[in-house]
Amino acid sequence: MNMSVLPVFAFTAGAAIAVQAAINAQLGVALKNTLLGTSVAFLCSFFLCALAVMFFTKQFPSMALLTSVPRYLWFGGVLSATGVGLFYFLIPKMGVGSLMSYALTGQIMMAMLVGHFGWFELPVKEITTTKFIGTAVLIAGVLLVNWES
């Protein structure tokens, strides 16, 4: 695969998340229940993922492999549901642009910490002075984007 297309895929993924968040937040508003909107979104996601697994998985993991996975790795869905549920709750109150700007900043800052300390057995990517300055500029940009004049 041509590695130069990966940033385009990442940008597209980010754009898709912003649009789906806006749509699903409005679903929660229309249903008058943010948790129900979140549940519908995750149910649709589950069915799509289950179909993809059925069609694209050639060999399923053994029970030995499943039991060898560290327990904490099975609970990422709790963070997903919490984050997505908060998105759908906050978008109608803040607007999708404001919410996404703060959320992206939180994602980048946490990703930098995870990388800096190599948590979850991921490669260590130290927080350099340049990255620190970039984060400060990012925060300033988010404040400017959300400035109410």
Side-chain angles (χ1 to χ4, degrees):
M1 172 180 278
N2 183 349
M3 298 301 269
S4 65
V5 301
L6 297 182
V8 174
F9 288 164
F11 180 86
T12 303
I17 288 170
V19 173
Q20 71 85 24
I23 289 170
N24 289 332
Q26 284 308 105
L27 175 64
V29 169
L31 296 173
K32 297 181 182 358
N33 188 322
T34 303
L35 289 175
L36 184 56
T38 303
S39 298
V40 169
F42 274 105
L43 188 61
C44 291
S45 298
F46 169 77
F47 283 121
L48 180 62
C49 288
L51 279 172
V53 165
M54 287 187 331
F55 285 109
F56 297 112
T57 300
K58 294 181 182 9
Q59 182 178 356
F60 289 92
S62 67
M63 188 55 74
L65 179 61
L66 291 173
T67 58
S68 72
V69 173
R71 288 188 182 156
Y72 68 89
L73 293 180
W74 295 104
F75 295 100
V78 173
L79 293 173
S80 295
T82 302
V84 169
L86 283 170
F87 273 34
Y88 300 166
F89 173 75
L90 292 170
I91 287 172
K93 294 165 178 40
M94 299 176 68
V96 70
S98 291
L99 181 276
M100 286 296 169
S101 66
Y102 288 114
L104 179 59
T105 303
Q107 286 177 320
I108 289 171
M109 291 174 72
M110 184 54 69
M112 286 175 47
L113 282 174
V114 168
H116 182 77
F117 293 108
W119 293 340
F120 314 115
E121 299 179 30
L122 294 170
V124 172
K125 302 284 185 179
E126 291 185 17
I127 297 175
T128 62
T129 302
T130 303
K131 288 179 183 179
F132 186 81
I133 292 169
T135 303
V137 171
L138 172 68
I139 292 168
V142 168
L143 293 174
L144 289 173
V145 163
N146 290 290
W147 187 281
E148 298 290 331
S149 49

